Amino acid sequence: QGTEHKVRFRGALVEKHQRMNGWVPAVTPDRKINVAHALPSEYLRRLELQNDLFGDKIRIIGMTKAHRFAITQPTLKGGEPTEIEIRQILESAGWERVPIGLQDLPSILMGSAWWHRGEKVILLDARKPNFKKTDFGILPIDLVLADLTPEIATLLGSENSSANK
């Protein structure tokens, strides 16, 4: 069980039931990256980005009694990669670390923020528990992904990003 999901292993699939609304990146009044509760549409976009950017196969299977999403995701077997391996895999795919001075995240998430200039996406929670070291490489399992908002794009120095247009 994580902060956001109650997890059940079902053989080839992991079933996840939202325990709360989930997270979305936000900007604080002092212009730093933090998290806020995600709207349902923001949570669904996060799942779509995980599938599109990382080749995952997350599927929505229903709603919980609390009117939150129930999803499935393929079970990944493997160990935990090191922080260095996570950094290398993200950097090789074009991700840039959000400077620590621009992060005002909960302590467990500090240092876990990345962004992709070309994809115009921000990523939070890039920590060891959210990656598996498999026979197919290092794969993410539960990242907080969102499109760059104009405010976040400006903060990150991506003024030429189409997110600002």
Side-chain angles (χ1 to χ4, degrees), residues 19-48:
R19 295 181 45 213
M20 53 181 285
N21 290 340
W23 298 113
V24 66
V27 176
T28 64
D30 62 342
R31 304 196 30 78
K32 294 189 178 193
I33 305 290
N34 200 329
V35 290
H37 287 285
L39 298 171
S41 59
E42 292 167 325
Y43 181 78
L44 292 174
R45 178 64 177 148
R46 165 184 165 175
L47 302 179
E48 180 180 42

Side-chain angles (χ1 to χ4, degrees), residues 47-63:
L47 302 179
E48 180 180 42
L49 286 167
Q50 175 92 18
N51 285 345
D52 290 348
L53 297 174
F54 296 101
D56 213 331
K57 293 183 177 18
I58 298 171
R59 301 287 179 256
I60 300 161
I61 59 168
M63 300 294 286

Side-chain angles (χ1 to χ4, degrees), residues 4-8 10 13-18 43-44 46-48 50-51 56-64 68-74 141-143:
E4 294 180 292
H5 302 103
K6 183 176 182 178
V7 179
R8 295 181 182 152
R10 306 270 191 212
L13 295 175
V14 175
E15 190 174 299
K16 297 180 178 181
H17 294 212
Q18 275 188 299
Y43 181 78
L44 292 174
R46 165 184 165 175
L47 302 179
E48 180 180 42
Q50 175 92 18
N51 285 345
D56 213 331
K57 293 183 177 18
I58 298 171
R59 301 287 179 256
I60 300 161
I61 59 168
M63 300 294 286
T64 68
R68 294 192 173 98
F69 293 103
I71 64 172
T72 60
Q73 182 175 20
I141 56 173
D142 191 22
L143 302 176

Side-chain angles (χ1 to χ4, degrees), residues 26-36 98-107 109-111 113 124 155:
V27 176
T28 64
D30 62 342
R31 304 196 30 78
K32 294 189 178 193
I33 305 290
N34 200 329
V35 290
V98 173
I100 199 76
L102 294 179
Q103 297 182 46
D104 185 20
L105 296 164
S107 60
L109 298 180
M110 277 302 287
L124 303 180
L155 183 65

